[in-house]
Amino acid sequence: MKARVTVTLKNGVLDPQGKAIEGALGSLGVAGVESVRQGKLFDVELATEDRAEAEATLKAMCEKLLANTVIESYRYDIAG
Amino acid sequence: MKARVTVTLKNGVLDPQGKAIEGALGSLGVAGVESVRQGKLFDVELATEDRAEAEATLKAMCEKLLANTVIESYRYDIAG
């Protein structure tokens, strides 16, 4: 079973990486960019074909490793 | 205008980060994960409200900075 996990910074959390990208885009001559916030995405392949089991595994993956739940929020979308 | 850019490794390109995550999940006791491939996502706010102009800006952002087009592919989804 395939799934995509997206991890993004919670609102209000400063994103220095995003700020650096904004600055770099300006110096590269790309105008009209008001803000950029960077996140992570993970394309995951799970052994199970059971949806509930897949959701439990994805939740454990996020809570234990993929997301720092103090400053980040996550969501996962199971394909199919 | 808001958009989300996703940048992922092209098929066939080795993902050491993904391999490291697979290993870590195993040692954290999360079973049933066959593969993990990590990518980047960017939530972007553009000044323009013109769709064509937004697409041109997003393409320039990706080609110039956000994606290494030799090993990565990108796509962008404009909200609304």
Side-chain angles (χ1 to χ4, degrees), chain A residues 11-51:
Chain A
N11 287 334
V13 175
L14 179 68
D15 178 12
Q17 182 72 7
K19 290 294 170 220
I21 291 170
E22 289 167 28
L25 288 170
S27 53
L28 285 167
V30 180
V33 179
E34 290 187 347
S35 77
V36 176
R37 283 175 75 79
Q38 181 167 357
K40 299 175 283 194
L41 70 85
F42 303 90
D43 288 326
V44 180
E45 202 139 351
L46 300 171
T48 185
E49 285 302 322
D50 174 74
R51 195 173 184 91

Side-chain angles (χ1 to χ4, degrees), chain A residues 3-7 42 44 46 51-52 54-63 74-79:
Chain A
R4 171 164 284 186
V5 176
T6 51
V7 178
F42 303 90
V44 180
L46 300 171
R51 195 173 184 91
E55 298 215 3
T57 303
L58 289 163
K59 186 170 165 57
M61 288 171 72
C62 292
E63 296 279 340
Y74 64 84
R75 59 169 288 155
Y76 41 80
D77 299 289
I78 296 174

Side-chain angles (χ1 to χ4, degrees), chain B residues 8-65:
Chain B
T8 52
L9 286 169
K10 290 181 177 175
N11 288 334
V13 175
L14 179 68
D15 178 12
Q17 183 73 7
K19 291 293 172 220
I21 291 169
E22 290 166 27
L25 287 169
S27 52
L28 286 167
V30 180
V33 179
E34 290 188 344
S35 77
V36 176
R37 283 177 73 79
Q38 181 166 356
K40 299 174 282 193
L41 68 85
F42 304 90
D43 287 327
V44 180
E45 204 140 350
L46 299 171
T48 185
E49 285 304 320
D50 174 73
R51 196 174 182 93
E53 193 179 331
E55 300 217 1
T57 302
L58 290 162
K59 186 170 165 54
M61 289 171 70
C62 292
E63 296 280 338
K64 288 185 176 183
L65 184 65

